Amino acid sequence: MQNLILRSWNKQKKIKDYTSLWDQIPTEILGRIMDRLNLLDCVRLSVVCKSWRSSVSLVHNQNKKISPPWPWLLLPHDQTGAKYLKFFDFSGAGSFYNLPLPKGSSGSSLYCSGSSKGWLVMGDCTDVNLTLFLFNPISGIRLELPPLETVPTFRRYLKEYPECLRHITEFVWKIELSSSDASSPTCIVTAIFYDRATLALCRPGDKSWTIFPQVCENHGCMDVLFCNGVLHALVFLDDDEGLEIPLVTHTMRVGDHIDDDPDQDQDVVVLIKLINHHISFNAGSCFVPGNENVVDEPQLSLVTEINSAFTSYLVESDGQLLILHRILNYGFLFMDINGENPHYMKTTQLSKIEVYKVDEHMSSATASSTKLDSLGDKILFISQRVSLSIPAAVSTSTDSNHGDLIKKNCIFYLKNVDITDMTRECGVFSCEDGRIIRLFPTSLTYTRDSHMLWFSPNIYI
């Protein structure tokens, strides 16, 4: 009996010793395992034990490949009743992911108004209050941003649009982060607010936004992007003087933390480079004749169609700064719904996309651009809220159902409803032959509270 107990004890001890080795897997081996897993599996790997969590974070910090950096598409959600955010992954077989929404205030609505480097920009809105914060849906981390009351144009926006707390996505044009590690004291959050007339900066946890004075109503900002450690701002003027604006670099101090910890509360100096959006016009005109675009919708009638306009974006691709013009055919529709509040609304549809490479030098007082006919092996994703570039090679998958879409030298684009344009679009533009594949039918909608977004999953935990 004693020998039986001893053998049983030795067997259990061997099993215990064997299983205890799992938390001692070398980081190099765990990194190779992570190379074969998708993002969600890597997250699951990190919660097995403290040792694995530490190793996953270490691999991530060393910038090792964890999963293909193919962005997800965030789908619109119900702000008042939804408990999850729904994402669609174009890569592989095409999967849907449901990730929990953060907890909002009592009786509030949660709005998503942007995305940058793995973080969503969320608005927690009630009838009397608004909180803006960053949210990582992978890790569940939430980081508060300064109150919008510290932005002077917010008070004016309240007067002009009393319902703005319900449509806060109209006030927040775009938010861009300098780093995926948003909790770092050196991470800068840049925002374009309200008719692109306010450019503001902060660090998560700051008590107020720092306003960049060179952007105003007559000198607005179309887009912002951190590239090679410098914040680039695509600016414009309402008059002809805009054609002569030189490329100017500014320095600006950002931060208002109380000096309790000298290591954490030092202001950060940001380099801001202004780029005149007219520089790309020298390489060729963006304007093309508009085509007739009759929209068959109940209670809507086409009044007239105007020649095309454009929206511009900044994109960083392998350290190179690009300017993209999404060129539109647009017209005006007369809406008379049940004889109530008849008015005109603009509707648009993509005509083509043009790409320009910015030929800039830090020591130069001016900049020029070169039109590109090809993106090489890159795939671009553009939208008002976020734009990015990935190598086409990372999208290769043997089980992909989207082989005709996922290929190099193409641009995925999103267009959401805004305060003047009720058109929603999503599709792929081929730079090779100009072909447009519309992933969803171009639609007219009155809902502008919830946006579709490109989202780059970030395993920051």
Side-chain angles (χ1 to χ4, degrees):
M1 184 67 178
Q2 183 178 3
N3 292 336
L4 181 62
I5 295 176
L6 183 61
R7 286 196 300 270
S8 176
W9 182 84
N10 288 333
K11 183 178 180 180
Q12 292 178 9
K13 183 176 183 299
K14 289 180 180 179
I15 294 175
K16 183 177 180 180
D17 291 341
Y18 178 75
T19 55
S20 67
L21 296 177
W22 282 103
D23 63 357
Q24 301 175 25
I25 295 180
T27 300
E28 294 79 6
I29 295 178
L30 201 61
R32 293 188 178 184
I33 295 174
M34 292 166 60
D35 285 341
R36 298 177 177 272
L37 301 178
N38 61 34
L39 182 83
L40 293 182
D41 286 338
C42 287
V43 173
R44 296 185 182 104
L45 193 73
S46 69
V47 299
V48 171
C49 62
K50 292 182 179 179
S51 176
W52 285 19
R53 182 181 181 89
S54 176
S55 295
V56 169
S57 297
L58 180 61
V59 171
H60 172 70
N61 292 334
Q62 292 175 345
N63 294 322
K64 291 189 176 182
K65 179 182 176 182
I66 296 176
S67 62
W70 184 270
W72 296 350
L73 175 63
L74 173 62
L75 302 175
H77 67 281
D78 182 0
Q79 293 78 24
T80 57
K83 295 182 179 180
Y84 295 93
L85 292 167
K86 177 170 285 190
F87 300 86
F88 178 73
D89 183 3
F90 282 103
S91 64
S95 302
F96 288 94
Y97 304 125
N98 290 325
L99 300 180
L101 271 166
K103 185 177 180 181
S105 305
S106 177
S108 68
S109 298
L110 289 176
Y111 297 89
C112 184
S113 60
S115 168
S116 179
K117 296 180 173 61
W119 296 84
L120 297 177
V121 183
M122 304 292 297
D124 188 352
C125 307
T126 65
D127 292 337
V128 295
N129 190 30
L130 167 67
T131 301
L132 204 63
F133 62 93
L134 301 176
F135 176 66
N136 187 325
I138 302 297
S139 64
I141 295 176
R142 169 174 172 160
L143 300 174
E144 301 298 328
L145 296 178
L148 288 180
E149 286 78 4
T150 61
V151 179
T153 51
F154 183 68
R155 292 187 288 271
R156 189 177 69 191
Y157 185 72
L158 282 172
K159 294 180 180 179
E160 294 186 14
Y161 301 95
E163 78 284 4
C164 78
L165 288 181
R166 186 174 181 275
H167 301 299
I168 193 57
T169 53
E170 301 299 337
F171 183 78
V172 182
W173 178 263
K174 181 177 180 178
I175 286 187
E176 165 80 0
L177 274 64
S178 65
S179 168
S180 60
D181 186 1
S183 62
S184 169
T186 60
C187 180
I188 297 298
V189 180
T190 304
I192 304 175
F193 291 132
Y194 187 39
D195 289 344
R196 297 167 287 179
T198 300
L199 180 62
L201 297 88
C202 75
R203 296 181 300 173
D206 280 352
K207 294 180 175 58
S208 62
W209 291 90
T210 303
I211 307 301
F212 182 65
Q214 275 69 30
V215 171
C216 59
E217 290 184 3
N218 296 324
H219 192 173
C221 188
M222 302 183 74
D223 201 2
V224 289
L225 182 73
F226 281 97
C227 181
N228 300 323
V230 178
L231 176 63
H232 294 77
L234 192 63
V235 297
F236 66 93
L237 283 182
D238 289 339
D239 52 43
D240 293 337
E241 294 180 4
L243 297 174
E244 304 299 329
I245 297 177
L247 180 69
V248 180
T249 302
H250 301 261
T251 59
M252 185 173 179
R253 301 191 69 87
V254 179
D256 62 2
H257 283 43
I258 301 174
D259 294 329
D260 293 333
D261 185 348
D263 295 330
Q264 299 294 328
D265 298 327
Q266 299 300 313
D267 291 349
V268 178
V269 177
V270 181
L271 290 178
I272 304 175
K273 180 175 289 189
L274 301 183
I275 298 179
N276 179 8
H277 84 294
H278 283 83
I279 66 172
S280 58
F281 296 168
N282 298 328
S285 174
C286 290
F287 295 95
V288 294
N291 300 317
E292 184 177 0
N293 178 27
V294 178
V295 181
D296 184 15
E297 284 284 323
Q299 301 171 315
L300 297 177
S301 59
L302 182 66
V303 175
T304 183
E305 177 151 316
I306 318 297
N307 287 342
S308 43
F310 67 95
T311 302
S312 301
Y313 310 91
L314 292 175
V315 184
E316 184 273 332
S317 182
D318 282 346
Q320 175 64 58
L321 188 66
L322 305 178
I323 298 177
L324 274 70
H325 298 302
R326 183 173 58 87
I327 303 170
L328 312 169
N329 289 328
Y330 75 100
F332 288 91
L333 297 173
F334 178 74
M335 297 197 311
D336 186 6
I337 302 176
N338 298 327
E340 299 179 1
N341 191 28
H343 59 286
Y344 294 97
M345 286 295 292
K346 184 174 68 176
T347 177
T348 62
Q349 191 173 54
L350 179 71
S351 172
K352 66 175 179 176
I353 297 175
E354 292 185 353
V355 183
Y356 295 83
K357 179 181 69 173
V358 177
D359 307 316
E360 58 169 327
H361 303 282
M362 291 299 295
S363 59
S364 176
T366 59
S368 61
S369 67
T370 303
K371 186 176 179 180
L372 300 181
D373 296 324
S374 173
L375 301 174
D377 65 345
K378 296 296 186 295
I379 301 175
L380 303 185
F381 296 79
I382 63 171
S383 69
Q384 172 192 325
R385 307 291 173 169
V386 60
S387 298
L388 51 100
S389 168
I390 67 168
V394 304
S395 66
T396 302
S397 177
T398 57
D399 61 347
S400 174
N401 292 331
H402 311 286
D404 57 334
L405 301 178
I406 304 175
K407 58 183 180 180
K408 64 181 182 180
N409 201 24
C410 69
I411 302 171
F412 284 71
Y413 68 92
L414 286 179
K415 163 63 178 70
N416 287 291
V417 177
D418 59 39
I419 198 168
T420 61
D421 184 355
M422 60 183 181
T423 312
R424 174 173 283 166
E425 272 199 294
C426 178
V428 186
F429 175 82
S430 171
C431 295
E432 181 178 356
D433 55 14
R435 186 169 60 113
I436 299 174
I437 300 176
R438 305 187 190 277
L439 302 181
F440 306 135
T442 300
S443 62
L444 304 179
T445 177
Y446 310 108
T447 302
R448 63 180 190 262
D449 301 334
S450 182
H451 288 181
M452 296 186 295
L453 296 170
W454 301 122
F455 172 72
S456 298
N458 176 14
I459 199 173
Y460 173 75
I461 52 177

